[in-house]
Amino acid sequence: MTIQECYAALEGDYQEVLGRLYSDALVQKFVLKFLSDQSFQLLESSLKEENYEDAFRAAHTLKGVSQNLSFTKLYHSSHEITEALRTKNYDQAHQLLATVAADYAQTAAAIKAYQGG
């Protein structure tokens, strides 16, 4: 799998991230580092514990990383949950977690496939 195929699998925008980071090597470096980022896990656990301050920070970080790496699909869902938490709409945030989790899983699976192949 190429890095471009990875971006297609995770529904991101490779040309956009390449325009931001300027080289395939940097894109690859930061894409692979994404797997060690704990923002999603913190979001999930913080929501479960109803620690909405930490959940907001985690969602906001996940949104920012996704935006910087042009992980378009994950960016959109993490943006929605960030806004729900920002406006203290906690019921909506809990409902949106399933979408963020699915998008995160899709993104992580694509990166792992890229890493392994």
Side-chain angles (χ1 to χ4, degrees):
M1 171 184 278
T2 66
I3 190 72
Q4 292 89 344
E5 291 168 334
C6 176
Y7 265 79
L10 61 80
E11 298 181 51
D13 188 332
Y14 181 73
Q15 292 306 314
E16 182 179 85
V17 74
L18 189 59
R20 184 176 300 112
L21 297 180
Y22 302 113
S23 78
D24 285 336
L26 275 179
V27 173
Q28 291 171 24
K29 175 184 175 182
F30 288 111
V31 165
L32 294 175
K33 284 185 90 158
F34 177 80
L35 294 176
S36 63
D37 181 86
Q38 295 297 304
S39 299
F40 173 74
Q41 290 78 8
L42 180 60
L43 169 62
E44 199 170 39
S45 64
S46 297
L47 273 179
K48 184 178 180 181
E49 297 164 5
E50 297 183 359
N51 180 341
Y52 297 118
E53 189 174 311
D54 283 351
F56 171 77
R57 274 197 299 277
H60 193 267
T61 300
L62 183 62
K63 178 187 83 158
V65 169
S66 298
Q67 184 177 30
N68 286 335
L69 291 174
S70 300
F71 294 168
T72 309
K73 188 174 185 183
L74 182 57
Y75 166 72
H76 287 297
S77 60
S78 59
H79 172 75
E80 287 181 27
I81 200 168
T82 299
E83 291 310 306
L85 290 163
R86 183 187 315 276
T87 59
K88 299 183 180 0
N89 190 340
Y90 301 133
D91 289 338
Q92 183 185 23
H94 283 279
Q95 292 170 4
L96 289 169
L97 182 61
T99 302
V100 176
D103 294 348
Y104 178 84
Q106 177 182 355
T107 300
I111 295 168
K112 287 175 185 172
Y114 169 70
Q115 188 177 40

